[in-house]
Amino acid sequence: MKRWLPLLLLLAWSPELLAQSGLAALTVTPSPGGGQTYSVTIQILLLMTVLSLLPAALIMMTSFTRIIVVLAILRQALGTAQTPSNQILLGLALFLSLFIMAPVFDQAYQNGLKPYLDEQLGAEAALQKVAEPFRKFMLNQTREDDLMMFTRISGRKGLPSRDQVPFSLLLPAFVTSELKTAFQIGFLIFLPFLVIDLVVASVLMAMGMMMLSPMIISMPFKLMLFVLVDGWSLIMGTLATSFYQ
């Protein structure tokens, strides 16, 4: 207890000590280049805010949404219930997203983050440099119709160019386009397995075996078809090439 007493006293007196020292929590200093330099306290606050929004950004600003939706539809088409499990599907989607987004991450690091860490760029300029590769990637995957729909909803008459689309319009348009593309790919994946289900159900009905579930009979045939055509390689390759055509 004696060892902790000085620490408790220090914590008790710390507000008064901070008040006497005049420690400023908010400091904005003009930089020589005409910009502004924020204090370390603000930078830490901004960093914690970015880290809290990082999961949402990973889902909504990368290829993760399309991949996880397609993998979920594939599992439903195979009829394997919880195999692969949700953890495996999330892991596959995460690492495939990292593979697809690697050029974007590298460009953002080289153009924005690295100069900022080397103190060659300010925080605002570095943020714009980091956001530019993501903007280009999202614009390449966004349908023009979805972008114009959200432009009309926002009350804007039009946009000067695609390069000047604000993130407030680009994000919902990008997510909507990704969901459309994911369901289109999922539909094409579902068709051959649906044919197997129909054939098995018709055969069972013709044999009068109506009490036997067609899913039990069709699942081995669907798994055999998926393995024979090297399905995982086809799915992963199709998803990867769908972003870079």
Side-chain angles (χ1 to χ4, degrees), residues 25-204:
L26 178 61
T27 303
V28 180
T29 306
S31 59
Q36 293 178 339
T37 302
Y38 299 97
S39 63
V40 177
T41 307
I42 300 178
Q43 294 180 14
I44 293 176
L45 179 61
L46 292 175
L47 178 61
M48 296 303 295
T49 304
V50 170
L51 290 178
S52 64
L53 297 176
L54 188 60
L58 175 64
I59 294 175
M60 296 302 173
M61 296 178 61
T62 63
S63 58
F64 185 86
T65 301
R66 182 189 303 185
I67 296 171
I68 193 63
V69 171
V70 171
L71 292 179
I73 294 176
L74 171 64
R75 184 175 64 179
Q76 185 70 25
L78 287 173
T80 54
Q82 296 299 319
T83 304
S85 63
N86 293 332
Q87 291 82 357
I88 295 177
L89 292 185
L90 289 172
L92 286 174
L94 177 61
F95 285 107
L96 186 58
S97 298
L98 292 177
F99 171 76
I100 294 171
M101 299 297 296
V104 180
F105 291 151
D106 183 68
Q107 188 177 359
Y109 174 78
Q110 295 295 335
N111 296 344
L113 185 58
K114 189 176 184 297
Y116 174 73
L117 296 177
D118 295 338
E119 298 183 355
Q120 298 176 358
L121 284 178
E124 296 181 358
L127 183 60
Q128 294 178 357
K129 293 290 185 179
V130 168
E132 189 60 33
F134 288 93
R135 178 192 297 273
K136 183 178 179 180
F137 171 80
M138 295 166 66
L139 280 173
N140 290 336
Q141 311 303 325
T142 303
R143 290 179 170 84
E144 190 72 26
D145 296 339
D146 296 329
L147 193 58
M148 296 307 299
M149 178 189 68
F150 284 100
T151 302
R152 292 193 302 269
I153 294 175
S154 65
R156 300 172 183 263
K157 295 182 179 179
L159 297 172
S161 64
R162 289 176 61 90
D163 296 334
Q164 299 181 3
V165 177
F167 269 97
S168 60
L169 294 179
L170 182 58
L171 278 174
F174 171 74
V175 174
T176 304
S177 296
E178 285 295 284
L179 290 176
K180 288 182 179 179
T181 305
F183 276 89
Q184 289 176 354
I185 297 175
F187 172 76
L188 296 177
I189 293 174
F190 214 109
L191 280 180
F193 300 110
L194 180 61
V195 171
I196 294 177
D197 287 332
L198 291 175
V199 171
V200 171
S202 299
V203 172
L204 292 178

